[in-house]
Amino acid sequence: MLIALIALASAAPYNIHREDRYLDFSYSWPASLAGGPRLKAHLQKLETKEHRRRLAYAQQDQQDSGPDFRQHYFKGIWKSQGASSRLLSETFSYAVLSGGAHGNSGSLALIWDRSSNTPVKFANLFSASAIPTNLKHHYCLALRAARDRRRDGPSPTGDWPNNCPKDDDLTWSLIDRDHNGRFDRIKIEADPYVAGSYAEGAYVITLPVSSSLMSALEQSMQRDFEIYRQ
């Protein structure tokens, strides 16, 4: 009975709102992020760290700006992208206003290993502990096509905003499109300013899990994925 109550408590939705003269801060996740108390504790630790960082920045801005200071704003929401028997895939989207000319937005991802109750880096899903070159190549091609459509014409190659972003500047997450307990898509998000100007917004690319990607996975992870079928 006690175990059941703990499980229910950890699966409850989480919504927190803190506001003072410096910062209007909101942070939440749904009950569907049912990863147990260790995942809940991990997310709460992230929330506490984010609030402290945003509050400190707002307080410093108030000292620097004096009477021109405007209250900062932060709102972040975790969402589930799917689950296998071993892995949970969560993404975090946030909006922020911190005294500049306009607000901004961004993303994070969390892959949670339920067998060890620890987060897993996307690159560590693969046997080489690195993102496969073929996957990055297909991403760069898809990003270039998306840029061309958004910019109404071919983009030149070269430095930012025309280069392909570094792996660590992108948000990599897993998607279970048909909710059958196996991931079949990879979602790659480039936040504003990462792959283009603020006016271009974020670039979100999804790529299918292919046979070559399956073979690149760590063997113990392969059962949590399947080849994408249209």
Side-chain angles (χ1 to χ4, degrees):
M1 181 66 177
L2 178 59
I3 295 175
L5 289 173
I6 293 173
L8 285 172
S10 64
Y14 180 87
N15 293 279
I16 191 166
H17 179 231
R18 303 175 182 177
E19 184 173 6
D20 55 28
R21 62 186 293 248
Y22 303 105
L23 177 66
D24 182 353
F25 181 91
S26 299
Y27 201 100
S28 65
W29 61 79
S32 58
L33 267 67
R38 292 280 293 276
L39 174 58
K40 179 181 178 181
H42 180 78
L43 294 177
Q44 287 178 324
K45 184 177 180 180
L46 293 178
E47 180 268 319
T48 299
K49 182 178 179 180
E50 190 71 63
H51 179 260
R52 287 176 178 171
R53 184 169 73 91
R54 298 289 174 178
L55 180 59
Y57 183 74
Q59 290 172 334
Q60 184 61 54
D61 184 35
Q62 191 275 331
Q63 292 182 21
D64 296 339
S65 302
D68 294 327
F69 172 77
R70 292 186 298 168
Q71 183 192 46
H72 289 204
Y73 170 86
F74 180 90
K75 182 176 183 179
I77 302 173
W78 284 100
K79 293 182 180 179
S80 174
Q81 298 294 333
S84 67
S85 59
R86 178 177 177 179
L87 302 174
L88 299 174
S89 177
E90 327 290 355
T91 55
F92 184 70
S93 58
Y94 64 87
V96 59
L97 182 63
S98 55
H102 53 71
N104 201 5
S105 60
S107 62
L108 298 170
L110 173 66
I111 301 172
W112 186 260
D113 188 340
R114 291 194 274 196
S115 66
S116 61
N117 276 315
T118 56
V120 180
K121 291 183 178 180
F122 179 79
N124 290 343
L125 298 173
F126 302 95
S127 57
S129 297
I131 294 172
T133 302
N134 195 41
L135 174 61
K136 185 63 181 293
H137 174 69
H138 285 294
Y139 166 73
C140 293
L141 292 177
L143 174 62
R144 179 161 188 165
R147 280 171 167 160
D148 291 349
R149 290 191 298 269
R150 200 170 293 186
R151 297 172 182 177
D152 298 322
S155 300
T157 59
D159 296 332
W160 184 91
N162 303 309
N163 63 321
C164 194
K166 296 179 181 178
D167 294 349
D168 290 343
D169 292 334
L170 299 166
T171 301
W172 303 80
S173 60
L174 311 174
I175 298 178
D176 177 11
R177 181 182 56 91
D178 54 6
H179 306 291
N180 69 346
R182 293 192 175 190
F183 299 106
D184 57 5
R185 304 278 284 178
I186 307 297
K187 182 167 75 169
I188 308 106
E189 299 181 65
D191 297 333
Y193 294 118
V194 172
S197 67
Y198 173 79
E200 290 178 49
Y203 283 93
V204 181
I205 305 292
T206 58
L207 297 175
V209 173
S210 62
S211 57
S212 62
L213 188 66
M214 284 286 289
S215 63
L217 287 163
E218 182 73 38
Q219 188 172 5
S220 64
M221 296 289 183
Q222 290 182 4
R223 62 186 176 184
D224 296 280
F225 293 79
E226 64 180 357
I227 297 174
Y228 176 75
R229 309 291 185 187
Q230 291 186 340

